[in-house]
């Protein structure tokens, strides 16, 4: 690797989105005088009678949660997308609009209010993975659903309003922006080379071994070369698979293991329940072959140098490009040291 990358300002290209990130390694040592977030160190009960996700509790719309024992999925009471809304589209001069239909679900990872994925054992995470697979299949099989977005917002700093371990699944009739970019770039590479863009990238990363954090038989956890968030990571299947339903049973367990390892490692980094947004990008469910897709899961954590200092995407990042000081390679070094 070019050693200039650790000393001089440069920009790195994201092969999946076609966007650039500005990297400023020479600034990494500047003193911090900005905002500190408060650390939430409250220890939570296993069951909270005021939590609308805990088993047996009544939600705001009056429905009662079942006495679930592992994973529980339900349709979001305040969904961002409507399933049976009117279909319309119009162009008036420069004003363009299209209706969007969809189904939004909430997935409780565990009945235990006090846990996060990092505290759950691999077998229990595996149940979450299976639920994701079922939802992708079921939602994706509906005519009007052409994409299924699985994600988790963890921590108050990420705007997560409820500490109960849970994620969301938003499915809709068109591709959202981030997915559309990745769809186009993977498709272009595939039509030129007949190979997987991410598969070829993974080969190069495994050879270089500079940004690999962890790997098991079927998955690699790495910090992508073009990472924007200080401790961003990506889980990539070693086999070229277009979506999460392509995994064998051994592979789902290996995926659960990879999730377990990276979330535990994150918690060790600043000795806190590490906040992040994570999500799975995979093939659209639009009835096409989508051979060019290589699914992957990304973690975008906001923390920068401690449990109380987070990265802000403001100023130049709003008006120009995302920017980071600590390089991907320096972040990987820190994370690698924390893997048990
Ligand atoms: Zn709860």
């Amino acid at each position: 690797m070019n050693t200039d990358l650790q000393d001089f300002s440069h920009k790195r290209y994201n092969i999946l989105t076609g966007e650039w990130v500005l990297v400023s390694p020479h600034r990494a040592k500047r003193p911090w005088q900005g905002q500190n977030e408060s650390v939430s160190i409250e220890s939570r009960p296993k069951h909270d009678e005021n939590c609308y996700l805990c088993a047996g509790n009544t939600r705001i719309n009056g429905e009662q949660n079942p006495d679930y024992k592992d994973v529980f999925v339900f349709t979001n009471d305040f969904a961002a997308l409507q399933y049976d809304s009117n279909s319309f589209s119009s162009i008036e001069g420069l004003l363009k609009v299209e209706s969007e239909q969809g189904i939004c679900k909430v997935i409780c990872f565990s009945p235990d209010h006090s846990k996060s994925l990092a505290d759950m054992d691999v077998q229990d995470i595996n149940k979450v993975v299976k639920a994701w697979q079922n939802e992708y299949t079921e939602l994706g099989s509906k005519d009007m659903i052409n994409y299924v977005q699985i994600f988790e917002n963890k921590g108050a700093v990420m705007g997560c309003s409820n500490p109960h371990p849970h994620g969301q699944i938003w499915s809709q009739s068109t591709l959202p922006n981030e997915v559309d970019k990745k769809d186009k770039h993977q498709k272009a590479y595939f039509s030129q080379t007949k190979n997987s863009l991410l598969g070829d990238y993974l080969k190069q990363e495994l050879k270089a071994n500079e940004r690999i954090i962890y790997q098991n038989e079927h998955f690699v956890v790495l910090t992508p070369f073009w990472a924007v968030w200080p401790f961003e990571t990506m889980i990539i299947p070693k086999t070229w698979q277009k979506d999460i339903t392509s995994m064998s049973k051994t592979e789902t367990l290996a995926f659960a293991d990879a999730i377990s390892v990276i979330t535990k490692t994150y918690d060790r980094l600043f000795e806190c329940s590490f906040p992040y947004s994570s999500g799975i990008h995979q093939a659209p469910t639009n009835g096409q072959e989508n051979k060019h897709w290589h699914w992957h899961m990304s973690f975008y954590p906001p923390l920068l140098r401690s449990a109380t200092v987070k990265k802000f995407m403001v100023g130049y990042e709003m008006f120009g490009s995302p920017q980071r000081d600590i390089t991907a390679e320096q972040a990987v070094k820190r994370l690698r040291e924390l893997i048990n």
Side-chain angles (χ1 to χ4, degrees):
M1 167 64 63
N2 186 341
T3 53
D4 283 351
L5 296 191
Q6 304 309 323
D7 293 319
F8 303 110
S9 57
H10 60 277
K11 56 181 194 172
R12 299 189 185 193
Y13 183 68
N14 184 332
I15 53 169
L16 290 169
T17 63
E19 289 163 352
W20 294 85
V21 52
L22 181 63
V23 186
S24 320
H26 56 291
R27 289 213 318 175
K29 290 186 187 102
R30 80 200 158 111
W32 179 258
Q33 294 183 315
Q35 178 172 328
N36 283 275
E37 305 292 321
S38 60
V39 194
S40 48
I41 39 168
E42 96 280 29
S43 65
R44 300 199 302 270
K46 284 182 170 305
H47 187 276
D48 178 349
E49 59 181 21
N50 296 315
C51 169
Y52 67 88
L53 299 177
C54 275
N57 289 359
T58 304
R59 302 203 301 273
I60 294 167
N61 67 353
E63 268 184 58
Q64 191 185 15
N65 295 331
D67 189 22
Y68 64 97
K69 300 297 177 207
D70 35 60
V71 179
F72 168 51
V73 183
F74 64 93
T75 302
N76 196 323
D77 303 326
F78 302 98
L81 290 155
Q82 298 163 294
Y83 182 65
D84 47 10
S85 57
N86 290 348
S87 234
F88 55 88
S89 70
S90 72
I91 300 179
E92 282 178 40
L94 295 174
L95 308 183
K96 187 174 173 179
V97 65
E98 280 174 28
S99 61
E100 182 78 30
Q101 282 87 25
I103 300 170
C104 301
K105 292 190 171 185
V106 176
I107 168 170
C108 297
F109 298 153
S110 161
D112 189 335
H113 185 83
S114 69
K115 283 189 173 170
S116 70
L117 285 175
D119 310 312
M120 289 165 59
D121 63 39
V122 172
Q123 289 295 346
D124 285 339
I125 298 175
N126 195 37
K127 289 176 187 164
V128 176
V129 175
K130 285 180 185 165
W132 285 339
Q133 289 174 318
N134 291 341
E135 291 302 324
Y136 177 83
T137 303
E138 193 201 307
L139 291 165
S141 69
K142 295 183 193 299
D143 276 350
M144 67 144 199
I145 298 295
N146 292 311
Y147 186 71
V148 179
Q149 182 59 55
I150 293 166
F151 66 97
E152 177 190 5
N153 277 335
K154 185 190 166 207
V157 71
M158 296 310 290
C160 179
S161 52
N162 187 325
H164 193 107
H166 73 285
Q168 300 190 55
I169 302 166
W170 290 17
S171 60
Q172 63 190 96
S173 42
T174 66
L175 301 195
N177 298 346
E178 293 305 304
V179 183
D180 189 50
K181 284 181 238 171
K182 290 188 174 184
D183 185 61
K184 289 195 170 87
H185 284 85
Q186 290 182 102
K187 193 179 267 174
Y189 189 83
F190 176 72
S191 58
Q192 257 186 0
T193 64
K194 298 291 162 226
N195 285 332
S196 154
L197 175 60
L198 208 50
D200 282 358
Y201 168 69
L202 188 57
K203 276 183 207 155
Q204 193 176 337
E205 284 291 13
L206 284 167
K207 201 172 162 195
N209 196 26
E210 284 178 311
R211 283 167 294 274
I212 309 289
I213 295 160
Y214 172 76
Q215 58 175 312
N216 57 33
E217 200 184 340
H218 301 289
F219 288 87
V220 175
V221 185
L222 55 74
T223 292
F225 181 67
W226 53 83
V228 165
W229 296 94
F231 294 95
E232 181 175 330
T233 57
M234 191 185 257
I235 303 178
I236 309 173
K238 289 181 177 174
T239 312
W240 184 0
Q241 300 173 339
K242 66 181 179 138
D243 64 57
I244 57 171
T245 63
S246 316
M247 281 187 279
S248 68
K249 278 183 181 165
T250 338
E251 284 169 327
T252 60
L253 206 56
F255 179 41
D257 167 68
I259 293 173
S260 173
V261 169
I262 191 57
T263 52
K264 280 184 164 65
T265 304
Y266 275 152
D267 279 8
R268 284 184 208 119
L269 182 62
F270 298 134
E271 292 173 329
C272 67
S273 184
F274 201 76
Y276 56 73
S277 272
S278 67
I280 296 172
H281 276 148
Q282 54 187 327
T285 54
N286 53 5
Q288 293 169 23
E289 267 199 300
N290 293 310
K291 269 188 178 170
H292 54 285
W293 265 90
H294 193 134
W295 75 271
H296 51 281
M297 180 172 191
S298 297
F299 289 81
Y300 302 147
L303 293 185
L304 178 59
R305 58 179 76 203
S306 72
T308 59
V309 177
K310 77 165 188 175
K311 174 185 172 61
F312 287 91
M313 287 277 222
V314 294
Y316 180 78
E317 305 182 292
M318 282 178 162
F319 292 96
S321 299
Q323 183 270 341
R324 61 183 291 148
D325 292 348
I326 173 179
T327 64
E329 295 73 31
Q330 289 162 353
V332 166
K333 233 180 242 174
R334 300 267 312 269
L335 292 170
R336 264 186 189 170
E337 284 167 7
L338 298 166
I339 299 258
N340 272 356

